[in-house]
Amino acid sequence: MEMTETKKSNKALIVVTIILSIAVVALGILYGIAMSSLNSYQTTLENVYQKNFYELVDQVNNAETKLNKVLASNSNTYRSKLLKEVSKNASDAQTRLNMLPYSINGLSDTIAFVNQVSGYTETLAKNLDMGVSISQKDQETLEKVYESVVNIKKSLNSMSKQMWEGYNITSSSLKLDGDYNLLTSDMSAMNGEDIEYPTMIYDGPFSDSQINKEVNGLNFSEVSMETAKSNVGKILTDISIENLSFDGETNGHFQTYDFSYQDDSGAYTFVQVTKKGGKLLTLSSKNLYKTKKIDLKSAENIALDFAKKADISGMKVVWSDIVGDDAFINLAPVVNNVIIYPDLVKVKVDLAKGNVLGFEATSYYMNHTNRNILPARITENVAKSKIYSGLYVKDIRQALIPLEYGQEVQCYEFICSMDGNTYYVYINSLTGVEENILKVVQTDNGSLLM
Amino acid sequence: MKKGKIFLISFLILAFALVGGLSTYLMFDKNYDVVEVASSSTNKSVQQKLKDLGYYKGNVDGIYGTLTRQAVTNFQRDYGLSVDGIVGPETLNALGISSSTSQSSSDLYLLAKCVHAEARGEPYVGQVAVAAVILNRVESPEFPNTIAGVIYQPWAFTAVHDGQINLEPNDTAYQAAQDALNGWDPTYGCLYYYNPVTATSEWIYSRQVVITIGKHVFAI
C-alpha cells in the first residue's frame, strides 16, 4: 500500500516537474521577447532625444557666434543677413527644445526667451531692410541677449559632457512626483532663476505687446449680474429667463458673467456677458440636428438680426460658408463704404432650425473704436495697376485690414481669380503698397482664407 | 501524498504566473488593437448604412464583428463588388460614405483627437475651451509654435502620453475643434487647464484661475 502510494506520488512528481519546467522556460522566452522589444523601443526613443539635444546645441552655438558678429558689424545689409540667420537658429532651437521630455513648466522661461529672440531678430532685420538702423537701445538689448545666449550655451555644454558619459534622457525623463522628473532638474541651469533673460521691446512675433493686448471696445461702466442676465433674456427671446442659470465669472482678458441653459431637447448652451456694459460676448452650443432646411442667405439674415439684438449694428456679411450642418458667418462694420475687418463678429447658425449656435464678439470688443477713415489717396484704377497682371479682378471693395502686429491699414480689396483659384489682394489705398494676399483654400471642412 | 499536494499547489501557482505573464504580454501587444479602433466611427457609419439597407441586424457599436462582416459580404455580393468582407474605398463609395479627410484638415483632425482624448466627458463649451488652450499655446512664446508641436510636447497632455490620443474623435470633438479654429475662446487666452481632483502638480495651482468649466479649471 505504502509502496504504491510512493510510486504514485513519484509519478506525479515527475509530471509536475516537467510541467513546471515547461512553464518556466515558456515564461523565460516570453520575458526575453518582451524585454528585447522594450529595449529596442527605448533605444530608438533615446536616439531621437539625443539627436534633438545635439541639434539644439548646434543651433545655440551658431546663434551665439552670429549674434556676436552682429555686435561687431557696421554694415546694415550684413547685420540684416546675420539677424535673419539668428532668427532661424533660434526658431530651430525652440523646436528641438520642445521635443525634450522635461516637465511642461520646467523650462518655460527659456523657451519664451528663445522664441522672443527669434521674433526680435526677425523684426530688427525687417527694420534694417526698410532702412531703419538699429537704435542705441536695441544695441544694448542685443548685448544682453548675447550674454544670455552665452549662458545657455555654457549650460548646454555641461549637459553635453554628461551625455558623453552616458547620460540617458529617456530614463531621466520618467515622472518622479507630479510632473517633476530628473531631466527637468538637470536642465534647470538654463531656467530663468539662473540666467537673467532681458526684456525685448518690439512689435513682432511673440512680443509682450502681442500677449498683453488691451481691450479697446468696452468703455462702459460695470453692470450687475442681474442686469447682465436680463440682457441675455432680451437677446435670446425664445428661452425663459428662469431657465438661465448663473455659472460664475470669468476673470481673464475679458471679465464676464457666465450663464448656461438647457433646452427641452437637452442642448446645452453657454453664454458669456461682459461685466463692462453687459454685452453678449460669446455664446456656444452644439448642433444636434443633422439636416439642412434653410439656405445660406436666410442664415446670413438670422446672423445679422441676432447681432442687432446683441447691440451690434451697422454690420455687413463679409464672409459666409457652410461647414457640415452649420453656417459660419462673419460680420464686420462698414464705415463710409469701408469694411472694418478688425472688428469681426462671428456667428454660427444651424441649418435645420435656424438657431444661433455660436456668437463670438471678442475681436469686435477688443478693437472697436471710432476710427478716423480717410478718403483714399489713390484711385481704384491706380491700385488695380499695382496687382499682378495675371489676376482677373471679380470685385473691388474698400477695407481697413489688420496687419500682423496691431497696425491697421486702409486698402482696396481686390477679389481675383487665377487658374481656378480665388485670391483677396490688398493694395494700400493711401500708398499703393501691396499689403497682403489671402488665398481661398477648399478643404473637406469648408473653404478657408489663408 | 503530502509532497504531491505541495507540488500540486506550487504547480497551480506557477500556472497562474504563466497565465498572468502571458496575459500581461498580450495586453501590451494589444496596443495595436487600440490603433485599429481608430476607424470605429467609420465602422459605425458603415453599420448604420448597412442597417438602413437591411443587411445588418446587430447593434451600431463600431465593432467590426462577425455580424458586420457577414453584412458587408452580402452587400458586396449584391452590389457587384469584390467579395472580401473588407470595407475598402470601393465599398465605402458604394455605401455613400466618404473615406478620408483631405490633407489640409490635418490640423482640425489632430485638434479634434486631442479634444476627444482629453475632454470627451466635458460639456461642449469645455471641449471648445480645451481646443482653444491648445491654440493659445501655439501663439504663446512659452510653447511650441505648431498645433502638432503643442499636442505632442512631452508630458504636456496626459491623454497623449497614455495613448488615448489614438481614439477616433466623435462629432462633438470635431465641432468643438472647428469652433476653436474659427476663433472661439471661452477662456480668453488661457494656457493651462487641470482637473483639481486629479491634478498632481503643485505648480499648476500657482497659476491665475480664469474660469471653471465642467471638471476643468482654466488658468493663465
Side-chain angles (χ1 to χ4, degrees):
Chain A
M1 191 67 183
E2 276 244 321
M3 280 287 278
T4 43
E5 214 165 71
T6 322
K7 255 189 193 166
K8 254 188 197 169
S9 75
N10 272 347
K11 233 183 191 174
L13 188 69
I14 292 162
V15 172
V16 165
T17 316
I18 291 169
I19 292 172
L20 278 184
S21 316
I22 293 170
V24 168
V25 170
L27 265 182
I29 290 171
L30 278 179
Y31 181 76
I33 294 170
M35 283 318 277
S36 83
S37 60
L38 187 65
N39 266 335
S40 94
Y41 291 147
Q42 255 179 8
T43 311
T44 311
L45 187 60
E46 180 64 20
N47 292 348
V48 174
Y49 286 149
Q50 298 264 346
K51 170 184 169 282
N52 272 302
F53 178 81
Y54 287 115
E55 282 179 350
L56 168 66
V57 175
D58 272 354
Q59 299 296 349
V60 171
N61 286 347
N62 287 339
E64 188 250 6
T65 316
K66 284 169 195 159
L67 265 173
N68 197 306
K69 285 193 198 173
V70 171
L71 296 175
S73 164
N74 200 26
S75 145
N76 278 0
T77 325
Y78 189 55
R79 281 183 141 190
S80 157
K81 177 183 173 286
L82 283 170
L83 284 166
K84 279 174 196 159
E85 287 171 16
V86 173
S87 175
K88 175 88 172 50
N89 288 146
S91 159
D92 287 350
Q94 175 274 135
T95 311
R96 307 289 181 274
L97 202 49
N98 276 319
M99 285 175 78
L100 292 173
Y102 45 77
S103 349
I104 177 81
N105 55 315
L107 289 179
S108 51
D109 297 343
T110 320
I111 292 165
F113 171 74
V114 175
N115 264 324
Q116 288 189 335
V117 168
S118 166
Y120 180 56
T121 48
E122 182 192 317
T123 308
L124 287 180
K126 243 185 223 167
N127 290 344
L128 281 170
D129 289 349
M130 289 192 296
V132 185
S133 295
I134 292 175
S135 68
Q136 186 55 39
K137 197 153 188 282
D138 281 329
Q139 181 76 19
E140 283 162 20
T141 308
L142 273 177
E143 280 166 22
K144 283 186 201 150
V145 167
Y146 172 68
E147 271 172 44
S148 308
V149 172
V150 170
N151 283 327
I152 293 180
K153 186 184 138 178
K154 278 185 194 155
S155 131
L156 281 175
N157 283 346
S158 74
M159 269 299 273
S160 293
K161 271 176 205 140
Q162 288 189 55
M163 297 282 172
W164 301 339
E165 284 157 16
Y167 187 91
N168 190 296
I169 298 177
T170 316
S171 53
S172 310
S173 74
L174 297 174
K175 272 190 192 184
L176 290 180
D177 177 28
D179 281 340
Y180 177 78
N181 63 27
L182 272 179
L183 183 72
T184 311
S185 58
D186 290 336
M187 289 188 77
S188 69
M190 269 193 276
N191 215 348
E193 284 153 35
D194 293 291
I195 301 177
E196 201 185 318
Y197 291 125
T199 314
M200 288 163 260
I201 299 163
Y202 64 102
D203 281 324
F206 309 116
S207 61
D208 293 334
S209 63
Q210 282 307 108
I211 301 158
N212 306 315
K213 274 187 275 186
E214 274 177 36
V215 178
N216 287 325
L218 278 177
N219 295 317
F220 308 106
S221 49
E222 208 161 286
V223 302
S224 67
M225 189 272 278
E226 287 73 22
T227 312
K229 192 171 182 174
S230 86
N231 284 358
V232 177
K234 283 175 206 155
I235 301 164
L236 304 170
T237 39
D238 47 350
I239 66 153
S240 76
I241 197 150
E242 292 86 60
N243 294 338
L244 197 65
S245 68
F246 176 59
D247 281 8
E249 298 177 359
T250 301
N251 291 304
H253 290 182
F254 283 96
Q255 315 240 312
T256 61
Y257 297 112
D258 304 337
F259 305 95
S260 68
Y261 67 90
Q262 213 151 4
D263 71 9
D264 301 332
S265 65
Y268 171 86
T269 303
F270 184 76
V271 183
Q272 289 171 305
V273 179
T274 60
K275 284 189 187 174
K276 282 186 175 171
K279 309 284 185 189
L280 177 66
L281 190 59
T282 68
L283 177 149
S284 346
S285 185
K286 192 190 134 187
N287 191 350
L288 295 176
Y289 311 106
K290 295 285 150 214
T291 49
K292 293 190 186 98
K293 284 187 187 144
I294 57 172
D295 61 5
L296 192 55
K297 189 76 205 141
S298 326
E300 287 176 1
N301 289 330
I302 290 167
L304 283 168
D305 278 351
F306 190 86
K308 218 176 270 171
K309 276 198 249 168
D311 209 15
I312 299 179
S313 50
M315 304 298 274
K316 191 184 159 184
V317 175
V318 292
W319 176 260
S320 62
D321 196 17
I322 293 175
V323 180
D325 303 299
D326 306 318
F328 285 85
I329 295 142
N330 288 359
L331 311 173
V334 178
V335 180
N336 304 337
N337 270 327
V338 177
I339 302 166
I340 313 293
Y341 276 115
D343 302 1
L344 217 54
V345 171
K346 294 172 181 172
V347 189
K348 178 171 138 183
V349 178
D350 93 68
L351 292 170
K353 296 201 163 179
N355 287 326
V356 171
L357 295 176
F359 181 82
E360 200 268 345
T362 48
S363 302
Y364 183 86
Y365 287 117
M366 201 75 189
N367 302 313
H368 187 66
T369 51
N370 281 325
R371 290 185 181 78
N372 185 20
I373 300 295
L374 303 166
R377 226 173 269 158
I378 61 169
T379 65
E380 223 171 78
N381 278 333
V382 173
K384 201 172 172 180
S385 71
K386 305 274 182 189
I387 68 172
Y388 174 59
S389 56
L391 291 166
Y392 169 73
V393 178
K394 292 195 285 192
D395 198 8
I396 307 171
R397 307 192 279 197
Q398 281 199 65
L400 183 81
I401 62 163
L403 289 187
E404 266 175 306
Y405 309 108
Q407 286 169 288
E408 295 174 346
V409 286
Q410 250 176 271
C411 289
Y412 282 108
E413 178 184 63
F414 292 94
I415 301 165
C416 313
S417 64
M418 183 169 67
D419 298 335
N421 291 317
T422 304
Y423 304 85
Y424 283 60
V425 181
Y426 296 91
I427 304 290
N428 193 313
S429 60
L430 305 176
T431 64
V433 172
E434 187 177 77
E435 298 279 6
N436 200 3
I437 295 180
L438 298 174
K439 189 191 170 198
V440 180
V441 179
Q442 297 296 340
T443 74
D444 290 354
N445 303 289
S447 43
L448 290 175
L449 273 176
M450 292 177 94
Chain B
M1 194 62 201
K2 223 181 178 184
K3 258 188 194 167
K5 252 187 190 167
I6 290 168
F7 279 117
L8 213 73
I9 288 165
S10 59
F11 164 68
L12 277 176
I13 291 170
L14 263 152
F16 273 123
L18 181 68
V19 170
L22 230 155
S23 56
T24 319
Y25 180 75
L26 289 178
M27 227 163 69
F28 275 107
D29 225 33
K30 267 230 172 100
N31 275 333
Y32 296 104
D33 285 350
V34 176
V35 181
E36 267 190 89
V37 175
S39 59
S40 83
S41 81
T42 314
N43 278 348
K44 270 190 197 165
S45 7
V46 168
Q47 288 171 333
Q48 190 60 54
K49 271 275 150 90
L50 288 170
K51 199 165 191 169
D52 294 347
L53 293 168
Y55 285 92
Y56 180 63
K57 303 271 187 288
N59 293 327
V60 180
D61 51 11
I63 298 162
Y64 192 85
T66 11
L67 274 176
T68 319
R69 176 175 282 269
Q70 192 54 50
V72 171
T73 314
N74 291 340
F75 173 80
Q76 286 172 331
R77 190 174 302 122
D78 290 1
Y79 280 75
L81 304 162
S82 55
V83 182
D84 55 4
I86 295 163
V87 186
E90 268 185 29
T91 310
L92 280 175
N93 249 339
L95 284 165
I97 299 165
S98 69
S99 57
S100 64
T101 47
S102 75
Q103 282 181 326
S104 46
S105 355
S106 64
D107 274 350
L108 175 73
Y109 178 61
L110 260 186
L111 201 55
K113 274 199 343 168
C114 196
V115 167
H116 183 69
E118 283 276 310
R120 58 184 172 275
E122 292 295 300
Y124 180 65
V125 65
Q127 301 193 24
V128 178
V130 165
V133 165
I134 295 169
L135 296 177
N136 290 336
R137 285 189 176 186
V138 174
E139 296 298 316
S140 160
E142 292 175 33
F143 290 92
N145 306 333
T146 60
I147 290 177
V150 166
I151 290 176
Y152 290 107
Q153 188 183 18
W155 300 117
F157 298 101
T158 328
V160 175
H161 190 69
D162 65 14
Q164 289 184 65
I165 181 84
N166 292 320
L167 298 171
E168 185 69 6
N170 59 14
D171 179 52
T172 311
Y174 265 109
Q175 280 194 44
Q178 181 79 53
D179 278 357
L181 281 169
N182 269 298
W184 259 264
D185 178 7
T187 74
Y188 307 116
C190 280
L191 291 174
Y192 305 94
Y193 62 84
Y194 55 91
N195 182 338
V197 181
T198 55
T200 47
S201 158
E202 297 253 328
W203 171 88
I204 197 77
Y205 292 104
S206 67
R207 311 302 303 193
Q208 184 204 323
V209 171
V210 169
I211 183 177
T212 303
I213 305 173
K215 290 194 190 80
H216 285 145
V217 174
F218 293 81
I220 265 181

